[in-house]
């Protein structure tokens, strides 16, 4: 049986050392598995693995800037708005980030999209425009509570495209004004329709069980009665 030469033995040792050594940077950690079971989190610096027995998955601890795609949101007052956002998060527990979820980047992205629609859908359009900071905090806290079990910390959320929302709001106001103008034109051509609308409004007021009902009368009806009164 031929013996292994010194050169071949040296080569095998170099290959074995190269396959067992890993270098992790300051912002990286290594989740090490031994025979398929979690062993420990190692790093940063030099990490030595047993070839064939231990495997390592690298995880970065730096803050990730996640761009949430534009979402169609229906506000509480039934206004359709396109909104996107930016989510800032980082891994705080490498073990959970690798073991508890298959792909924490994809999972966080999908969760951010559904949370954005869910939280904003509970507010009126005016609140989306005037209370953006509060909504940012609400979305961040909702996301953070759900990603904590994945070892993910959501640090901040910023809603974008406020300008687009304002344009939609302005368009809605313009459409409402146009409809009121058209209704006024129709009513002006039919005086009886105005009186019927007036009586209908009184019916609605009476249904609310108000204790006082103000009943205004047009001056063209009141003036003949005033003229008929005896003058002192």
């Amino acid at each position: 049986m031929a013996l292994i030469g010194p050169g071949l033995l040296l080569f095998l040792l170099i290959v074995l050392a190269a396959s067992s050594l890993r270098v992790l940077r300051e912002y990286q950690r290594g989740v090490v598995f031994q025979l398929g079971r979690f062993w420990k989190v190692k790093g940063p610096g030099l990490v030595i693995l047993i070839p064939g027995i231990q495997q390592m998955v690298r995880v970065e601890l730096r803050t990730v800037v996640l761009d949430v795609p534009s979402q169609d949101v229906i506000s509480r007052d039934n206004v359709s708005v396109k909104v996107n956002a930016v989510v800032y998060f980082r891994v705080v527990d490498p073990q959970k980030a690798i073991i508890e979820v298959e792909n924490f980047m994809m999972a966080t992205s999908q969760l951010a999209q559904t949370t954005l629609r869910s939280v904003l859908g509970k507010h009126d359009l005016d609140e989306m425009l005037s209370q953006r900071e509060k909504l940012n905090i609400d979305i961040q806290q909702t996301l953070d509570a759900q990603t904590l079990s994945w070892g993910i910390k959501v640090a901040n959320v910023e809603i974008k495209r406020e300008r687009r929302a304002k344009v939609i709001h302005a368009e809605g106001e313009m459409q409402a004004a146009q409809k009121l103008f058209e209704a006024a034109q129709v009513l002006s051509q039919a005086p009886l329709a105005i009186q019927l609308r007036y009586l209908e409004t009184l019916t609605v007021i009476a249904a609310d069980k108000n204790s006082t009902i103000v009943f205004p009368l047009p001056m063209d009806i009141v003036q003949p009665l005033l003229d008929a009164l005896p003058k002192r």
Side-chain angles (χ1 to χ4, degrees):
M1 183 177 180
L3 297 177
I4 299 177
L8 181 58
L9 181 59
L10 180 61
F11 174 77
L12 292 177
L13 290 175
I14 292 175
V15 172
L16 183 63
S19 62
S20 62
L21 298 180
R22 301 288 189 276
V23 176
L24 298 178
R25 298 180 180 178
E26 185 64 34
Y27 55 83
Q28 293 179 323
R29 296 294 184 272
V31 180
V32 180
F33 295 88
Q34 183 168 288
L35 296 177
R37 297 178 63 87
F38 171 76
W39 183 46
K40 64 171 60 175
V41 176
K42 304 191 74 173
L46 181 64
V47 177
I48 301 176
L49 303 176
I50 302 175
I53 296 178
Q54 295 179 335
Q55 298 83 34
M56 186 185 72
V57 181
R58 294 174 185 260
V59 180
E60 290 201 3
L61 305 184
R62 292 183 294 183
T63 298
V64 178
V65 182
L66 177 65
D67 188 13
V68 181
S70 180
Q71 302 294 307
D72 289 319
V73 178
I74 304 298
S75 65
R76 191 171 59 181
D77 51 350
N78 294 323
V79 178
S80 178
V81 185
K82 284 188 176 294
V83 181
N84 63 345
V86 177
V87 178
Y88 299 85
F89 71 93
R90 63 186 180 90
V91 176
V92 293
D93 190 332
Q95 177 184 349
K96 290 182 178 180
I98 296 300
I99 296 177
E100 299 297 332
V101 62
E102 180 180 2
N103 186 329
F104 66 85
M105 286 284 294
M106 179 64 69
T108 304
S109 175
Q110 294 297 318
L111 183 61
Q113 295 178 41
T114 57
T115 303
L116 184 66
R117 294 193 299 268
S118 175
V119 172
L120 294 184
K122 299 177 183 178
H123 298 270
D124 296 335
L125 179 60
D126 288 336
E127 294 175 344
M128 294 184 194
L129 300 178
S130 61
Q131 302 181 19
R132 191 175 68 173
E133 292 300 325
K134 179 180 180 298
L135 294 177
N136 288 341
I137 296 175
D138 288 345
I139 297 174
Q140 180 266 326
Q141 292 177 344
T142 303
L143 271 176
D144 193 43
Q146 298 182 71
T147 59
L148 186 61
S149 61
W150 302 341
I152 304 297
K153 172 63 179 178
V154 178
N156 193 19
V157 176
E158 290 290 338
I159 301 173
K160 300 196 300 184
R161 293 197 178 179
E162 180 181 355
R163 180 179 179 184
R164 176 58 183 164
K166 288 183 177 179
V167 170
I168 294 175
H169 183 59
E171 290 176 352
E173 293 291 339
M174 183 178 296
Q175 292 175 3
Q178 180 65 29
K179 293 298 182 182
L180 288 174
F181 176 72
E182 293 175 359
Q185 287 185 321
V186 172
L187 291 175
S188 65
Q189 298 175 3
L192 291 178
I194 298 177
Q195 297 297 327
L196 290 175
R197 181 60 180 167
Y198 176 66
L199 294 175
E200 182 182 355
T201 302
L202 292 177
T203 302
V204 174
I205 295 175
D208 292 336
K209 299 180 181 180
N210 292 326
S211 59
T212 303
I213 297 178
V214 179
F215 194 84
L217 292 175
M219 288 304 298
D220 55 353
I221 296 178
V222 177
Q223 190 61 44
L225 296 177
L226 294 177
D227 292 342
L229 292 176
K231 298 182 179 179
R232 297 180 181 179

